[in-house]
Amino acid sequence: MSNIVDKAKSWLTDTFDKDTIKEVQNLMDNDQKLLEESFFQNLSFGTGGMRGIMGVGTNRINKYTLGKNTQGISNYMKAQFPDESLKVVIAYDCRHNSKAFAHHVADVFSANGIHVYIFPELRPTPLLSYSVRHLDCHCGIMLTASHNPPEYNGYKVYWKDGGQLVPPQDKEIISEINRLDFTDINFDGNSELIMTLDASVENAYLDEAVKNVDFNLSAEVKKNLNITFTALHGTSITTVPALLKKAGYQNLQLVEAQSEPDPEFPTVKSPNPEEPEALEMAIELGNKQNSDLAIGTDPDGDRLGIAVRNKQGELTLLNGNQTMVLMTWYLLDKMKQSGNLKESHFVASTIVSTPLMKVITEAYGVKYMESLTGFKWIAKLIKDHPELDYIGGGEESFGYMVGDFVRDKDANTAILLVCEMAAELKAQGTSVYEQLIKIYKDHGFFKENLVSLVKRGLEGAEEIKQKMIDLREHPHKEIAGEQVVLIEDYETSIAKNMQSHEPHEIDIPKSNVLIYYTENGTKVAARPSGTEPKIKFYISVNSSLEELSEFETVDKELDSKIEAIKADLGLTD
C-alpha cells in the first residue's frame, strides 16, 4: 500500500491541474479502496488497445495517462521515421470526454511537431482504420471504449497499415511510454499542425464499402428488402444510413429513440450487440414494420448484431459465429459463381471462433488462416502475406471485415454484405435463416456458447490468474464424458496430444489462451479478456444434420450437450 500512496502523492505536484490534485487528495483522505484501484497498476494495451474507467490515477483513463501514451508514441515515431514528415489521424466516439480527450491527444502530437488530422465530429472506428492508409499516416488514434459501460473510455492505436498495434511495435511503444514521467508530456499544442477533416475522407470510405460489396443486384431486389436499424446511441448513425442509401437500399426504418448519440446509453443495460437485450427495441420495431432484418451496432460501429426471420416467421438473433459463417459462405459462393476465386485467396478467423469457418472455407478450396483473438491479428496476416488476397473473415464476438480496404472489424460494410445476402435470398424465395440450416446440413451442425465470468478489481484479477493456472496444472481428462485428446497452450506455444503425450509447437504468437479438444470434436477455450475484467469460456459442439427437417431436434441435442459441459466445468449459476 505504501507504493500506491507514493504513486498517488506524485500526482499532487504542479505537473497536474487543480481538479486532478483535489480529486487525488480526496481519495487519499476518504477512500483507500478506490485509491488502491486507481493506482495499483498502469493501464496496459490489450486486444482492443487501452481501455478503462475514467478518473484520476495511473489505472484510469484521463488526460495524463492518455498524454503519456501519446508522448511515448510521438517519441517512438520520431525514432522510427527520422527523415519523414510525420502524420497521424484521430477520431472519437460518443462517450463522455471523448472529444476533449481527442483534442488533448492532438495537442501532444502537434506539440511534438507531428501533423494531425482530426474528424470534426464523432465517427466510427472502421472509418479511422481506413483513414490511416487513405491519408498516408504513420499512426491513427481512436478514442473509444467500444461497448463498455458509460464510465469507461479508451484509446486504440493504429499503425501505418491501418491495423492496430501488434508485436514488436506494441512492446517497443510500451517500453518508451514506461520510460517517461508525467512531467515529460508536452501539452503545448501547435494549432498550425492540426487540420480538421472535411467530408471527402468519409465519402471515399463509403465508396470503397459499396465497391467491395457490389453483387449486381437489381434495384427492385434491393427495394424489396425491409431493414430496421439501431445505432444504440453510437457513431454508426453517421455512416450506416448513408451507406445503405448509396448502395440502393431505400427501405430502412430507424429506431429513433436510439439514433441520437448519448454517452449514457439510456435505453439499454449494455450497448453491446452481443447481448440479446440490446436489440430488443430494433426487434420490436422490426416486427411492427414487418422487417426482414433488424440490425444494431455497438457505440463505435465495429460490431454488429443481426436478427432474421426464423422458420416460424419470428425475428430471432443470430450469434457472432452464425453471422460470420453466413457472410463467409456468401462471399465465397458469389466469387465461385463469378469464377473469381483464386489460389491466392484466403479467409481468416480466430482460435476461439467456430471450427465451421475452417470447414466451409476449405470446402470452397480456399486457404484458411487462424489468428489470436482480435482483428489486429487478422490485419497482421494481411500485412505479413502480401502474396495472398484476403476475401473476408471475422471472430465470434460479432465482428467481420470484408476485403482489406479497412484493417479492423467493420460493421458498416458487414451490414451492407448482410443486406445483399438477405435481399438475394429473399428474391430466390428462401431466407438467411433457411440458408444457415442448409450450411449446417452441407458442412456439419456446429453450435457455440460463450460463458463470461466477471471478476472485478485486484481480487478479481487474482482469481482469473489462479483459474488459468488450475486449468494448466490440473488439466481435465474428460469433459462431459468425452475424453480430452488435445490441449493447446498458447502461452507456452505447445499443443499436447493427451493420448501419445507428444507435444508439437503452435505457430501463433504467445497469448494466455488454453484450448481443450475432445474425441468428438468438442472444443473448449479459456481466455482472460484483454479489455474487461472477465475470464471467458468458449464452447463449441457439433453433430451431423442429415435432413433439414431434423434441425430442431439436433439443435436441442447440442444445447443439452453445451449445458452438460458447463455443469462439468462449474460454469453454471
Side-chain angles (χ1 to χ4, degrees):
M1 189 66 188
S2 61
N3 179 50
I4 289 172
V5 172
D6 288 341
K7 284 174 74 175
K9 283 182 178 178
S10 71
W11 280 54
L12 300 178
T13 65
D14 59 8
T15 297
F16 301 88
D17 61 51
K18 291 179 181 178
D19 289 340
T20 298
I21 293 170
K22 183 179 179 181
E23 182 58 29
V24 172
Q25 188 64 60
N26 181 55
L27 292 180
M28 293 179 71
D29 294 341
N30 301 307
D31 198 332
Q32 291 296 305
K33 183 170 177 57
L34 186 53
L35 180 75
E36 184 178 0
E37 293 286 350
S38 300
F39 283 95
F40 84 90
Q41 65 179 5
N42 294 332
L43 277 180
S44 58
F45 287 101
T47 53
M50 190 181 80
R51 204 182 299 180
I53 295 171
M54 289 176 279
V56 298
T58 59
N59 191 37
R60 294 289 186 262
I61 294 288
N62 53 64
K63 170 184 176 180
Y64 299 99
T65 51
L66 296 181
K68 189 177 175 185
N69 286 347
T70 308
Q71 186 63 54
I73 293 169
S74 299
N75 295 351
Y76 182 78
M77 285 197 296
K78 287 180 177 180
Q80 290 292 305
F81 312 109
D83 300 320
E84 298 183 30
S85 177
L86 300 176
K87 295 186 291 184
V88 302
V89 58
I90 301 170
Y92 53 91
D93 71 2
C94 59
R95 288 180 173 271
H96 290 296
N97 303 314
S98 283
K99 185 172 185 177
F101 286 154
H103 285 275
H104 289 315
V105 169
D107 285 342
V108 175
F109 277 129
S110 64
N112 283 274
I114 296 168
H115 293 267
V116 177
Y117 299 107
I118 189 166
F119 282 88
E121 297 174 321
L122 75 169
R123 286 297 183 270
T125 292
L127 176 55
L128 184 279
S129 171
Y130 170 80
S131 300
V132 173
R133 295 170 67 236
H134 182 74
L135 295 169
D136 195 26
C137 289
H138 298 79
C139 174
I141 303 292
M142 181 73 198
L143 279 301
T144 180
S146 189
H147 55 272
N148 280 54
E151 64 268 24
Y152 280 76
N153 214 317
Y155 182 91
K156 290 183 179 180
V157 184
Y158 293 78
W159 213 234
K160 288 186 72 174
D161 67 320
Q164 288 189 57
L165 284 179
V166 293
Q169 282 85 13
D170 57 352
K171 290 181 175 61
E172 291 169 356
I173 287 173
I174 289 167
S175 177
E176 176 60 29
I177 292 168
N178 291 340
R179 191 182 65 79
L180 298 176
D181 188 79
F182 289 103
T183 57
D184 297 319
I185 307 168
N186 187 349
F187 282 111
D188 189 15
N190 180 352
S191 60
E192 293 183 1
L193 295 179
I194 301 174
M195 175 184 170
T196 301
L197 291 168
D198 60 22
S200 62
V201 176
E202 185 172 345
N203 289 336
Y205 163 75
L206 295 176
D207 287 342
E208 280 287 330
V210 172
K211 178 183 170 185
N212 271 263
V213 188
D214 182 4
F215 297 111
N216 298 314
L217 302 186
S218 71
E220 188 65 24
V221 166
K222 293 181 179 182
K223 182 182 177 182
N224 286 337
L225 187 72
N226 189 340
I227 309 156
T228 291
F229 171 71
T230 174
L232 293 178
H233 304 290
T235 60
S236 63
I237 195 65
T238 66
T239 49
V240 169
L243 176 60
L244 291 177
K245 183 178 180 181
K246 184 182 280 282
Y249 290 93
Q250 307 289 340
N251 198 353
L252 177 66
Q253 329 295 327
L254 298 179
V255 181
E256 295 293 350
Q258 296 177 327
S259 292
E260 187 70 25
D262 190 325
E264 287 296 317
F265 314 113
T267 64
V268 291
K269 291 178 183 176
S270 168
N272 182 359
E274 292 180 79
E275 304 290 341
E277 179 270 340
L279 262 66
E280 279 183 0
M281 291 181 72
I283 290 173
E284 183 181 352
L285 178 62
N287 282 324
K288 286 180 181 176
Q289 300 291 339
N290 197 30
S291 296
D292 301 295
L293 300 172
I295 303 173
T297 60
D298 66 347
D300 69 321
D302 58 2
R303 297 172 196 257
L304 72 159
I306 297 168
V308 300
R309 296 282 174 187
N310 63 17
K311 291 171 71 176
Q312 290 72 43
E314 303 161 336
L315 280 172
T316 185
L317 286 166
L318 301 179
N319 65 39
N321 282 304
Q322 292 170 324
T323 305
M324 168 174 58
V325 162
L326 281 160
M327 286 191 279
T328 302
W329 161 79
Y330 188 65
L331 283 172
L332 290 169
D333 206 60
K334 296 302 290 184
M335 293 181 75
K336 182 181 179 180
Q337 289 176 28
S338 63
N340 288 328
L341 276 182
K342 299 181 292 186
E343 286 187 10
S344 62
H345 278 131
F346 80 99
V347 165
S349 189
T350 67
I351 58 174
V352 299
S353 296
T354 177
L356 184 52
M357 279 292 283
K358 183 175 190 288
V359 174
I360 196 168
T361 299
E362 292 181 347
Y364 278 86
V366 171
K367 184 178 181 63
Y368 173 79
M369 300 182 78
E370 211 161 66
S371 73
L372 294 175
T373 303
F375 265 78
K376 64 182 183 181
W377 298 108
I378 294 179
K380 187 175 188 296
L381 289 175
I382 296 170
K383 184 173 70 173
D384 290 348
H385 295 279
E387 77 282 5
L388 299 178
D389 298 305
Y390 174 80
I391 295 174
E395 58 184 358
E396 51 72 40
S397 56
F398 291 65
Y400 202 84
M401 186 169 81
V402 185
D404 63 3
F405 74 105
V406 172
R407 301 295 173 90
D408 203 350
K409 52 186 175 287
D410 179 1
N412 299 286
T413 313
I415 285 171
L416 182 54
L417 177 61
V418 168
C419 290
E420 291 276 304
M421 173 175 60
E424 184 168 2
L425 289 170
K426 184 178 182 180
Q428 292 171 355
T430 182
S431 69
V432 173
Y433 195 83
E434 289 174 307
Q435 178 58 42
L436 178 63
I437 298 172
K438 187 176 186 301
I439 289 171
Y440 290 153
K441 181 178 181 295
D442 293 343
H443 302 285
F445 192 165
F446 288 76
K447 188 160 191 176
E448 283 73 33
N449 187 265
L450 171 65
V451 179
S452 295
L453 303 180
V454 178
K455 304 289 182 181
R456 300 189 188 281
L458 189 56
E459 290 180 5
E462 286 300 317
E463 281 187 63
I464 290 171
K465 182 179 177 182
Q466 189 57 50
K467 184 69 174 176
M468 293 301 294
I469 290 172
D470 291 344
L471 287 169
R472 286 189 168 92
E473 295 185 353
H474 309 288
H476 294 268
K477 294 181 180 179
E478 287 188 353
I479 296 177
E482 296 180 11
Q483 188 176 356
V484 174
V485 295
L486 180 69
I487 299 178
E488 294 176 337
D489 189 342
Y490 288 82
E491 192 166 69
T492 61
S493 297
I494 297 295
K496 186 177 181 181
N497 185 308
M498 301 305 288
Q499 295 170 318
S500 67
H501 299 288
E502 291 182 5
H504 68 265
E505 192 172 342
I506 300 170
D507 188 23
I508 284 180
K510 292 181 185 294
S511 184
N512 189 13
V513 182
L514 196 68
I515 303 181
Y516 286 78
Y517 296 88
T518 75
E519 57 190 329
N520 294 335
T522 293
K523 174 183 174 183
V524 179
R527 166 187 165 264
S529 172
T531 55
E532 300 172 278
K534 295 178 179 179
I535 181 169
K536 297 183 176 183
F537 291 85
Y538 306 80
I539 300 168
S540 176
V541 296
N542 68 88
S543 178
S544 60
L545 181 63
E546 301 297 335
E547 299 293 337
L548 297 176
S549 60
E550 297 173 357
F551 169 73
E552 282 85 1
T553 301
V554 177
D555 190 40
K556 288 176 182 177
E557 290 172 358
L558 293 177
D559 279 339
S560 297
K561 195 171 183 179
I562 287 169
E563 290 306 310
I565 291 168
K566 288 160 69 174
D568 194 24
L569 297 178
L571 303 179
T572 53
D573 294 333

